[in-house]
Amino acid sequence: MGLVTVLSALAEPTRLRIVCMLAEREGERAWKDIDLPIAQSTLSHHLKILRNAGLLLNRTEGTRCFVSLRDQELESRFPGLLETVLNCRDR
């Protein structure tokens, strides 16, 4: 998880919106609960980029997929980054 990779993943508005949705709620969220007006394949693409950047953790249970924000790992690696990014988005 490099800083450039993380910032690049967060620079795209849809991915930033996904991260904000996950940050609002503790724990994991089912893919079906990520309510965005995009195709399932597009959502999958964005989640893959966020996962590859080290921002998300995926878990599969049967046919259901769950995703959670790796906020503690991100905070320990880049202190204050997630909070700063989320605060800037609100402006």
Side-chain angles (χ1 to χ4, degrees), residues 1-72:
M1 169 185 338
L3 181 59
V4 172
T5 305
V6 169
L7 291 175
S8 177
L10 291 172
E12 203 283 327
T14 301
R15 291 192 290 267
L16 180 57
R17 192 167 171 197
I18 292 168
V19 168
C20 288
M21 290 173 72
L22 294 171
E24 288 173 357
R25 189 169 124 191
E26 290 288 323
E28 61 187 15
R29 189 179 273 210
W31 279 32
K32 68 176 184 76
D33 293 338
I34 299 175
D35 187 28
L36 293 174
I38 58 176
Q40 184 69 26
S41 60
T42 304
L43 176 61
S44 178
H45 169 75
H46 287 303
L47 291 173
K48 179 182 176 184
I49 290 172
L50 290 168
R51 184 181 63 247
N52 289 343
L55 291 162
L56 300 183
L57 182 64
N58 277 13
R59 181 180 69 83
T60 304
E61 185 177 297
T63 59
R64 298 182 68 196
C65 294
F66 297 89
V67 64
S68 59
L69 189 59
R70 296 178 66 187
D71 51 349
Q72 292 177 351

Side-chain angles (χ1 to χ4, degrees), residues 62-85:
T63 59
R64 298 182 68 196
C65 294
F66 297 89
V67 64
S68 59
L69 189 59
R70 296 178 66 187
D71 51 349
Q72 292 177 351
E73 292 94 335
L74 193 59
E75 182 63 27
S76 67
R77 181 86 191 247
F78 308 110
L81 176 66
L82 185 59
E83 181 181 355
T84 300
V85 168

